[in-house]
Structure formats: structure tokens, C-alpha cells
Amino acid sequence: ITAVPANTASAKSKKVTARAYFAGDTKAGNCTWIAGDGKTAKAVTKTVTLSKGKKTTVTLTIKNPGKSNGKKISKIKAATVFTVDLVNVLSSYKKVKCSNISVKADGKAVKVKKVFQGSFEKNKADSKNNWRLSFYNQYGNQGDNSAKTNKAKSFAFKKNLTVTFTVVAK
């Protein structure tokens, strides 16, 4: 009989932060940050525990803040940036795959032609180990062609924008 230490299962699991970034066209400006890193805009994050090879479902909700720079925001008309990062996940896992991706604007399904995913900012020290889902990013580079494929106006909303996906890391 071999005794297995109680923490063996948890050693294979890693906590990762899922973070949404969203900037949109509003009365307050063409690129008003709604969700971000906590510096440019309120952080929209969720800590998730990934276990190697296991499916984990993640849901993030971006809410209309109602105001920006003293100006009322009644509607976000279009996205300038809409991405989700799994922060530093590639420092723990070699492969990451997201599937079953859905986006809802005010509860209604958004038709997304293609979600680009990968490590797009390998030249930036603070994001080279991030795995990104890119829905629309007018500033995207290094393989992120979401602005050429998806429509910015598809991500318009009044109250909230919700993204749900399943992630598997190996």
C-alpha cells in the first residue's frame, strides 16, 4: 500500500486569472475604456483553477459603467478592443485551447465570424505568457487579424456584454 500525499492533486492544478479588455465607441470618445487592467479601466477578472487536460468553463461580464469622463454612456456603439487574456497561463502549460465560445450583448447572441486565439504579444514582457481570445482589436498585431474579420458594431450593447468559453490546458 502506497500513501499518496493529500496535496498531489492540487499540485497539478494552477490558478489563472481570466481578464477581459474592452474599449468602445461612446459619447465619451471613440476609444473609451470600459474594462481593462484596473489602471485604464475597471478590471473584469475571474480566477479559475485549471487542471491539466480538464475542461473548465469561464464566464466574464463587462458592464456599461454609465459614465466616463463625466459624460453619460447610454450605449456602447461598437468595439475598439474586445479581448480576453488568460494571464500568464503559458508559464504553467505548453498548450491552451479555448472552445464553445459564445458572446451575448444584453442577453442576445452575437454572431462572431472568427475568434483569434494565441499568444499575440510575445515581444512584451508583461503579456508574452498570456493566451488571448481576440474578438475585435483595431490595434491587433502578430497574427491578430480580428479587426479585418469581425465587425466592431457586432459588439454594441446598452447594459452588458458576456463572454463564455471552455478552456483546456496541457
Side-chain angles (χ1 to χ4, degrees):
I1 298 176
T2 304
V4 178
N7 63 358
T8 302
S10 64
K12 294 180 182 180
S13 299
K14 299 283 182 183
K15 290 189 185 249
V16 174
T17 299
R19 177 180 291 137
Y21 291 90
F22 189 93
D25 184 4
T26 69
K27 283 184 179 181
N30 180 348
C31 189
T32 303
W33 281 98
I34 306 297
D37 58 6
K39 296 174 188 169
T40 55
K42 180 181 176 183
V44 175
T45 63
K46 181 176 274 188
T47 302
V48 293
T49 302
L50 299 179
S51 296
K52 189 174 181 177
K54 302 286 184 189
K55 293 180 179 181
T56 303
T57 301
V58 179
T59 299
L60 296 168
T61 301
I62 300 162
K63 296 179 181 176
N64 181 341
K67 279 188 176 181
S68 178
N69 297 327
K71 295 181 182 179
K72 184 178 179 185
I73 300 175
S74 57
K75 181 178 182 179
I76 288 85
K77 300 177 212 170
T80 308
V81 174
F82 176 29
T83 63
V84 173
D85 280 1
L86 294 171
V87 179
N88 215 22
V89 69
L90 294 176
S91 64
S92 299
Y93 298 98
K94 292 179 183 178
K95 293 182 181 182
V96 178
K97 175 79 172 143
C98 297
S99 59
N100 301 322
I101 303 165
S102 73
V103 178
K104 291 183 179 178
D106 296 325
K108 294 181 183 177
V110 173
K111 191 172 186 176
V112 180
K113 287 184 183 179
K114 182 176 181 182
V115 178
F116 290 79
Q117 56 179 301
S119 178
F120 297 117
E121 297 179 339
K122 295 175 187 174
N123 61 347
K124 291 186 177 180
D126 64 341
S127 58
K128 69 179 184 178
N129 287 317
N130 295 356
W131 188 260
R132 177 169 286 174
L133 296 176
S134 185
F135 300 91
Y136 188 89
N137 187 353
Q138 96 179 24
Y139 309 106
N141 58 30
Q142 299 180 24
D144 180 352
N145 295 316
S146 57
K148 295 176 184 172
T149 306
N150 297 317
K151 294 179 181 177
K153 290 183 179 184
S154 298
F155 306 105
F157 64 95
K158 288 182 180 180
K159 294 181 181 178
N160 60 53
L161 187 71
T162 302
V163 59
T164 301
F165 59 94
T166 301
V167 60
V168 176
K170 295 180 181 181

